[in-house]
Amino acid sequence: MVQVGEYERADRTKVRAHSRWHPGARRELTIFAVIALAVVGFGSSGGGSAGGAGSGERLPRPQQTGVYPVHFPGWDKPAPRPTPTVSYPIRWDRSQ
């Protein structure tokens, strides 16, 4: 907020000290309020009115679908060792 001190206008009218908003602050607050209302409106409009808990329907009870602890095939076998793809010696001296 901008604090305006007491002053006298050119026509000799005295103006008391007061405060006012910064230029453009009302427009920014209006835009913020409209966006906030839109978010609240869209957020609450998607309620579960079609078959929710308040509609009188009996909902299925949750059941366990997994088996714990989880075991994968080959869990107990050691991982296979990599085998070389070539059996002949490769010379790494490429200066020739």
Side-chain angles (χ1 to χ4, degrees):
M1 306 250 334
V2 177
Q3 296 292 331
V4 179
E6 187 175 315
Y7 66 96
E8 191 173 306
R9 293 184 182 164
D11 63 352
R12 302 274 214 202
T13 307
K14 285 194 171 191
V15 178
R16 293 184 299 171
H18 62 280
S19 61
R20 66 175 185 210
W21 288 15
H22 289 280
R26 284 199 174 131
R27 179 179 177 270
E28 291 175 0
L29 182 64
T30 303
I31 292 171
F32 174 75
V34 168
I35 291 173
L37 287 173
V39 167
V40 169
F42 285 123
S44 63
S45 67
S49 62
S55 64
E57 291 183 33
R58 288 192 54 118
L59 298 176
R61 297 185 56 85
Q63 297 176 354
Q64 182 179 0
T65 56
V67 178
Y68 297 98
V70 178
H71 291 288
F72 295 98
W75 184 278
D76 300 327
K77 293 186 245 173
R81 300 295 232 125
T83 56
T85 56
V86 294
S87 60
Y88 54 89
I90 299 174
R91 286 190 262 154
W92 293 105
D93 186 15
R94 304 284 183 191
S95 63
Q96 299 177 357

